Amino acid sequence: EAGVAQSPRYKIIEKRQSVAFWCNPISGHATLYWYQQILGQGPKLLIQFQNNGVVDDSQLPKDRFSAERLKGVDSTLKIQPAKLEDSAVYLCASSQLAVKNIQYFGAGTRLSVL
Amino acid sequence: AQRVTQPEKLLSVFKGAPVELKCNYSYSGSPELFWYVQYSRQRLQLLLRHISRESIKGFTADLNKGETSFHLKKPFAQEEDSAMYYCALSTIYGQNFVFGPGTRLSVLP
């Protein structure tokens, strides 16, 4: 079974620039999560999708972050404009609808904002 | 709001010694608790969850609602157990996931 795919693996941008991350979940997984993991901290949930609907986006900084999951499959997370404090690893995870709590994680995208 | 704490950033034990990674949580409802592990250069992965009540790689964890704890234990640590361990919590509906800050376990030869 193919795992969760994320791209790019690394991204370096300057503050105030825009950036987008892409995630392709495991086939058949209805639930998709985006996390932000700042160095030395645990992952922090940004947004959770069920198919193409948003279940939880309470911790998403909506003034600069946006995410979409068109057609209920792959997803993109965008930051516009980026701030220095957005430097982190952005993790995508997916889970089956029936056993939704077993999350399978991607390798992550490491973002450095200079 | 839910919160997960892991008091130790780093825990070092010798091979063959018992290990206990502490996790405490705060949540007003009935939580679901998990332990996730990240080995060097690998992805974050589920180790075990309390509803399964199973032992994975010799690790067990018991949910203590009175003490609001979900400590991870293994009687005899192995060098391959060296990794970053995260305790996590969600609602019973699989929402509002919260991860703790993590504990790095180092098993010395």
Side-chain angles (χ1 to χ4, degrees):
Chain A
E1 165 178 90
V4 176
Q6 289 189 247
S7 66
R9 287 299 312 278
Y10 306 93
K11 191 73 177 177
I12 300 174
I13 62 172
E14 295 186 350
K15 60 183 179 183
R16 290 188 289 272
Q17 284 187 323
S18 300
V19 64
F21 313 122
W22 175 81
C23 172
N24 192 354
I26 293 172
S27 178
H29 281 196
T31 310
L32 186 147
Y33 314 79
W34 281 103
Y35 290 89
Q36 179 193 58
Q37 186 172 22
I38 294 172
L39 188 63
Q41 299 181 19
K44 171 188 165 185
L45 180 66
L46 293 177
I47 189 166
Q48 178 179 345
F49 291 96
Q50 187 69 31
N51 297 307
N52 59 350
V54 175
V55 171
D56 179 8
D57 64 355
S58 57
Q59 297 198 89
L60 186 73
K62 298 179 184 65
D63 57 335
R64 299 184 300 107
F65 285 65
S66 64
E68 61 181 12
R69 191 183 183 197
L70 300 176
K71 301 179 182 177
V73 181
D74 55 353
S75 175
T76 55
L77 176 70
K78 297 178 182 178
I79 308 175
Q80 181 180 10
K83 293 185 175 181
L84 297 178
E85 58 262 34
D86 298 332
S87 294
V89 175
Y90 290 84
L91 295 167
C92 180
S94 70
S95 64
Q96 289 181 343
L97 179 60
V99 196
K100 60 175 66 178
N101 282 341
I102 300 178
Q103 298 185 39
Y104 297 85
F105 282 82
T109 296
R110 183 175 298 276
L111 173 67
S112 296
V113 182
L114 307 178
Chain B
Q2 300 99 286
R3 190 178 178 210
V4 176
T5 57
Q6 295 177 251
E8 303 126 336
K9 276 195 168 183
L10 174 64
L11 182 64
S12 295
V13 300
F14 285 103
K15 175 182 174 182
V19 61
E20 181 179 50
L21 299 170
K22 291 184 167 53
C23 171
N24 288 90
Y25 67 91
S26 61
Y27 178 57
S28 57
S30 292
E32 291 204 23
L33 275 297
F34 311 84
W35 277 99
Y36 278 81
V37 61
Q38 188 165 25
Y39 301 102
S40 179
R41 295 187 182 86
Q42 294 188 25
R43 302 179 181 197
L44 194 60
Q45 59 185 285
L46 178 69
L47 179 62
L48 54 78
R49 49 185 182 151
H50 88 272
I51 60 173
S52 300
R53 301 187 67 81
E54 56 194 345
S55 174
I56 303 293
K57 298 184 179 182
F59 284 97
T60 59
D62 290 319
L63 178 59
N64 186 324
K65 292 187 177 181
E67 296 184 357
T68 60
S69 68
F70 188 57
H71 303 327
L72 184 67
K73 301 176 184 179
K74 184 170 183 177
F76 308 103
Q78 303 298 315
E79 289 183 67
E80 55 265 32
D81 296 328
S82 295
M84 196 74 186
Y85 291 81
Y86 295 95
C87 183
L89 171 157
S90 78
T91 68
I92 59 172
Y93 303 107
Q95 298 176 8
N96 304 125
F97 268 89
V98 175
F99 279 78
T103 297
R104 180 169 298 283
L105 174 64
S106 178
V107 181
L108 308 172

